[in-house]
Amino acid sequence: MGLGADRVLEFQVVTPDGQLRTANECQNSDLFWALRGGGGGTFGVVLSATVLASPPVKLQTLILSWSSPNATRTKEAWTIFTDTSVQLAEEGWGGYVMANVFVLINPKFGSWDDAKAGGIRRLVEWGQRIQLEDQEGSQGKGKSVTTLIMKEFPSWMSFFEVFTSRFVASVGKNLALASRLIPTSLFQTSETRTSLVNALLEANSVPTHPSLIILFTAPYSTPDIQRKTSVHPAWRESLYHITVVEPWAWNATKREMEEAYETVGRSVDGLRRLTSEVGAGAAYVNEADVYEPDWESAFWGNNYPRLLEIKRKSFGRPNADHGVFGCQSGSRNRRTNDLAAT
């Protein structure tokens, strides 16, 4: 189904000149393009959006977890996952992966019997093996610390209610965040896949609370050949969106907060180098390191010049923003001269 930006049909937005505008493919089309991926708050205040709906679909779901992180198991699991990720994406799988958790869903297969014949088979077999190892390790008492669930849900909402009961997203936390998009070119050979797994393990080990998340949700199977959205083109060529975090305490000093940002920056350095070696290097702007090097390219790619032109046009004057959206201080000029002003 692609990204959320792919499915927006129309915005109602107040631009910095105080005008309420309708933006769609027929009216204010440049603004519509910019709002679909260029950073909604960068161009105005969006009051509403009309989004394309879809009929309910059945979901085949794999939930695999083990009780505590285990470096050996994590490397084994991530190796199998990187080996099969292209096939899994082509078959319609997507989801959420951490050091000891896999939650993968698929709207395309009609049954689990069909699903197990595809790329997911290797993960299922691996999960069954470690489940047996746990049972044998508990001296025959049958107490396994590994959970392996293969289940069909009749709709997204029924899956979501189960998922959120087990994996609750915390809010209101103080933390630094960094991310990276991982291109398909890193999955083409065993050597690049091995380098990727090692870089992922390194990124997970740097924060004081290992928290790397592999979001297996990039719109690999929904290309945007006509470039109707302004999201970074790297999204269409990526399989993973990687995030890492480093929290700080409520009473942390300024230096401790700075150290948190330095930590997440270091944690993705290996992934930055690896993606740069294959001519890539992108990050999701809403979940990125605020000190991201070469941020114009990392956040927007070759869409940046056009987005900046549209931003200045939406402000009414080439080099003014009517006093809104601008940051008055900082290490960069963050008024209408760049897209990061908000």
Side-chain angles (χ1 to χ4, degrees):
M1 296 183 181
L3 294 169
D6 297 330
R7 305 181 67 78
V8 179
L9 302 175
E10 182 175 284
F11 293 102
Q12 294 290 315
V13 56
V14 178
T15 47
D17 58 4
Q19 297 298 308
L20 174 62
R21 303 182 190 276
T22 298
N24 54 39
E25 289 189 344
C26 300
Q27 306 172 68
N28 298 300
S29 56
D30 276 358
L31 182 59
F32 181 58
W33 177 83
L35 288 169
R36 291 203 295 170
T42 305
F43 305 93
V45 178
V46 174
L47 301 183
S48 67
T50 302
V51 180
L52 180 66
S54 296
V57 292
K58 291 190 300 184
L59 295 174
Q60 307 305 326
T61 307
L62 171 73
I63 300 176
L64 171 61
S65 65
W66 46 104
S67 59
S68 59
N70 175 309
T72 300
R73 282 189 175 176
T74 297
K75 186 172 184 177
E76 286 182 5
W78 287 0
T79 297
I80 293 171
F81 187 48
T82 56
D83 285 348
T84 57
S85 285
V86 172
Q87 182 180 358
L88 290 172
E90 290 174 348
E91 291 174 353
W93 292 97
Y96 170 102
V97 176
M98 293 185 70
N100 63 321
V101 175
F102 280 76
V103 180
L104 300 177
I105 62 174
N106 191 309
K108 292 186 176 181
F109 287 111
S111 70
W112 248 106
D113 287 338
D114 295 336
K116 283 192 292 185
I120 203 71
R121 176 177 56 84
R122 282 188 62 190
L123 269 177
V124 171
E125 291 175 350
W126 182 82
Q128 291 169 336
R129 177 172 66 80
I130 65 167
Q131 202 170 40
L132 182 59
E133 288 176 1
D134 289 338
Q135 291 169 347
E136 293 173 346
S138 62
Q139 299 178 345
K141 295 179 182 178
K143 183 180 179 182
S144 174
V145 295
T146 295
T147 299
L148 176 61
I149 299 172
M150 294 168 283
K151 182 178 175 60
E152 180 180 292
F153 288 91
S155 67
W156 163 258
M157 185 56 68
S158 60
F159 159 77
F160 184 74
E161 289 171 349
V162 172
F163 175 78
T164 53
S165 69
R166 295 193 59 196
F167 305 99
V168 179
S170 57
V171 296
K173 282 193 172 182
N174 300 313
L175 53 83
L177 179 67
S179 68
R180 215 72 196 153
L181 293 176
I182 308 301
T184 55
S185 54
L186 286 175
F187 297 82
Q188 301 308 310
T189 69
S190 60
E191 290 80 9
T192 56
R193 292 194 298 270
T194 296
S195 297
L196 174 57
V197 170
N198 290 335
L200 292 172
L201 292 168
E202 176 190 352
N204 192 49
S205 68
V206 173
T208 55
H209 303 280
S211 56
L212 182 140
I213 298 176
I214 302 173
L215 294 156
F216 186 43
T217 53
Y220 174 77
S221 58
T222 52
D224 183 18
I225 297 172
Q226 296 181 345
R227 299 289 287 273
K228 289 188 174 183
T229 68
S230 54
V231 298
H232 197 307
W235 276 103
R236 312 293 174 175
E237 301 164 1
S238 298
L239 287 179
Y240 298 170
H241 162 46
I242 305 294
T243 64
V244 293
V245 300
E246 177 70 11
W248 64 78
W250 66 271
N251 58 347
T253 65
K254 178 184 177 183
R255 181 57 196 145
E256 288 170 335
M257 297 178 195
E258 291 171 343
E259 288 173 348
Y261 284 102
E262 292 167 2
T263 296
V264 294
R266 286 197 313 275
S267 71
V268 296
D269 273 345
L271 290 169
R272 283 193 183 109
R273 288 192 299 271
L274 188 61
T275 54
S276 295
E277 288 171 4
V278 293
Y284 176 33
V285 62
N286 285 342
E287 295 181 343
D289 183 357
V290 297
Y291 298 103
E292 179 69 40
D294 192 21
W295 53 273
E296 298 98 329
S297 176
F299 296 165
W300 291 288
N302 59 12
N303 287 334
Y304 185 82
R306 183 183 173 193
L307 285 166
L308 184 57
E309 179 184 354
I310 293 169
K311 178 178 181 180
R312 289 172 172 167
K313 178 182 176 182
S314 73
F315 284 1
R317 301 200 300 272
N319 295 298
D321 65 359
H322 301 279
V324 267
F325 301 156
C327 297
Q328 301 303 316
S329 62
S331 60
R332 305 188 186 108
N333 178 3
R334 292 222 160 159
R335 295 181 70 80
T336 54
N337 293 330
D338 63 54
L339 287 177
T342 54

